[in-house]
Amino acid sequence: IGNTALSAEQLTYSMYSEDKFIEVVDSDIKIDYLVNALKPGMLLIIFSVTGSTTTYLKLMQAAKEKQITVYLITMNQDSKLLSLTNHQFILPSTYVHNNRQTVHMVDNRTILYCFAEVISYYYSTSENKH
């Protein structure tokens, strides 16, 4: 949702070259419908800088109940969502304070975008594709 949807879109685009079609769920409305559409064998990859429980808690609880594999990719090592999955990547945040009390930031999307490319590269070189 929001800025992290762009990284998911990049992963979707990259996976086309591997003959994999994946769907980006980029709004709260789509997440609400996805909760009811979860089926065994699905894989969820969630990109979320904050690991927002407001946005993803219901989805992740439903996925856990239905034994669906979920990968959470976040920059929040304290997210309560981390306890709902055995598969998580906690990436470094680019948010930095300097000594003049001003905030300098390189957009976190750059790290998420690069990580999406790492996923597609890993998949393309994997011997055990499914």
Side-chain angles (χ1 to χ4, degrees):
I1 293 184
N3 291 334
T4 56
L6 300 172
S7 299
E9 290 283 357
Q10 178 59 35
L11 180 59
T12 298
Y13 180 77
S14 295
M15 294 305 289
Y16 289 156
S17 63
E18 296 299 320
D19 297 327
K20 287 290 180 185
F21 181 81
I22 57 179
E23 181 69 29
V24 173
V25 176
D26 57 1
S27 72
D28 291 329
I29 293 168
K30 287 182 180 180
I31 287 177
D32 289 342
Y33 283 105
L34 179 58
V35 168
N36 297 322
L38 292 174
K39 303 274 187 272
M42 284 184 154
L43 167 67
L44 299 179
I45 300 173
I46 299 174
F47 288 89
S48 176
V49 170
T50 62
S52 170
T53 54
T54 304
T55 303
Y56 298 106
L57 182 61
K58 187 176 175 183
L59 175 64
M60 289 190 66
Q61 288 172 332
K64 188 171 185 167
E65 286 174 19
K66 295 181 181 184
Q67 298 179 346
I68 292 172
T69 302
V70 177
Y71 282 84
L72 176 62
I73 302 165
T74 186
M75 295 177 175
N76 181 0
Q77 65 188 9
D78 298 321
S79 172
K80 293 178 180 167
L81 297 178
L82 293 169
S83 65
L84 293 174
T85 181
N86 294 326
H87 309 287
Q88 65 238 185
F89 293 94
I90 302 170
L91 303 178
S93 176
T94 58
Y95 184 80
V96 178
H97 283 280
N98 68 17
N99 59 2
R100 291 177 292 175
Q101 302 297 350
T102 58
V103 176
H104 292 273
M105 187 165 88
V106 174
D107 197 321
N108 281 320
R109 286 178 290 191
T110 58
I111 291 176
L112 292 170
Y113 177 89
C114 290
F115 197 74
E117 287 300 299
V118 167
I119 294 169
S120 69
Y121 176 78
Y122 173 78
Y123 182 84
S124 71
T125 60
S126 173
E127 292 180 16
N128 191 17
K129 296 180 186 181
H130 16 320

